[in-house]
Amino acid sequence: GLSAAANRHLSWVWNYRLSEVLNALESWALEQKRTDCSFDVMSINVWWCFFVNNQYRLLQDSQNQPPEALAAVFGEKLKAVGRMLMLLDKVTHSQYIKRIWCVFELFVAAQEDIPIVVVLPPSARGSAAAVNTVEEVLDACTVDVANATASMIEDEKAIKALIVSKYGSFAKVNNTVERALWVQTLELQRQSKAEKASL
């Protein structure tokens, strides 16, 4: 078959439309090919929980292992893949930063220095251009773990308990994820300006 070891972890929101995700991935692949003629889409193997074991299964036995062990298991899985595609529905007020699994995934990636690339659906490509001031960047990247949710309340409770157990509060995760988002948002803004200049 065409299966192979994953080299990209797709971090996304479960209630994104499938067509939106596929369009975003196609747009990303086309952009990679446009900027790098040696890029081979067949070399990209995506770990996507839509097709494999969902992350929530890591939490099913969480009462039988300490939070540190749970974090280590997920961290090792993400490190083994080595790179993360962060799929946002839009740059400002994205659903992504309101979902606890997404925030946790981005936190682990940032902590482990795993390369992150933002993937956007074509309809949202222009949204980066709307972020022009420091205040707008900060607003777009504000993270609030306390109010982040999950489709399953058990997931939400377990991840938040893990964070509090390990770090004492949500502050470290909020700050780490916000800094990672700043970098990605500014890169999107740079790309948007470069695209306009090339027209």
Side-chain angles (χ1 to χ4, degrees):
L2 296 176
S3 62
N7 53 24
R8 299 293 190 283
H9 173 97
L10 180 64
S11 181
W12 71 308
V13 176
W14 268 85
N15 65 351
Y16 286 167
R17 294 190 305 275
L18 180 58
S19 61
E20 185 177 38
V21 178
L22 294 176
N23 287 340
L25 291 172
E26 181 181 22
S27 177
W28 172 76
L30 290 172
E31 179 63 18
Q32 299 309 299
K33 188 65 176 177
R34 187 185 70 81
T35 57
D36 179 6
C37 61
S38 67
F39 176 79
D40 179 12
V41 70
M42 296 303 293
S43 70
I44 304 301
N45 303 299
V46 178
W47 190 97
W48 184 2
C49 58
F50 185 77
F51 293 108
V52 294
N53 287 338
N54 180 13
Q55 296 103 310
Y56 80 81
R57 298 188 186 281
L58 292 174
L59 292 167
Q60 289 182 332
D61 297 324
S62 62
Q63 293 180 342
N64 300 321
Q65 57 181 310
E68 292 80 2
L70 186 60
V73 168
F74 180 74
E76 288 303 315
K77 288 181 180 292
L78 188 51
K79 283 192 289 183
V81 174
R83 293 176 178 271
M84 191 168 89
L85 300 177
M86 179 171 63
L87 204 161
L88 303 181
D89 54 321
K90 52 186 178 179
V91 175
T92 58
H93 307 293
S94 173
Q95 293 183 59
Y96 185 95
I97 60 175
K98 299 173 185 175
R99 307 297 289 180
I100 191 65
W101 259 123
C102 296
V103 170
F104 185 66
E105 287 175 352
L106 183 52
F107 173 72
V108 172
Q111 284 282 96
E112 299 294 341
D113 292 322
I114 293 169
I116 302 163
V117 173
V118 171
V119 178
L120 290 168
S123 59
R125 292 288 298 174
S127 62
V131 180
N132 294 307
T133 67
V134 172
E135 289 78 11
E136 288 170 341
V137 171
L138 294 176
D139 181 60
C141 300
T142 298
V143 175
D144 182 8
V145 170
N147 289 310
T149 60
S151 299
M152 297 181 64
I153 191 65
E154 293 82 4
D155 288 21
E156 179 183 334
K157 289 178 179 178
I159 297 172
K160 289 179 179 180
L162 184 158
I163 293 169
V164 171
S165 173
K166 189 170 180 65
Y167 302 108
S169 73
F170 299 136
K172 181 176 178 63
V173 175
N174 284 339
N175 294 336
T176 300
V177 172
E178 285 177 355
R179 286 195 297 270
L181 287 168
W182 295 344
V183 172
Q184 297 304 318
T185 301
L186 292 172
E187 174 59 18
L188 285 172
Q189 188 183 55
R190 184 197 66 77
Q191 292 175 7
S192 177
K193 289 181 178 178
E195 288 174 6
K196 285 186 177 181
S198 67
L199 295 177

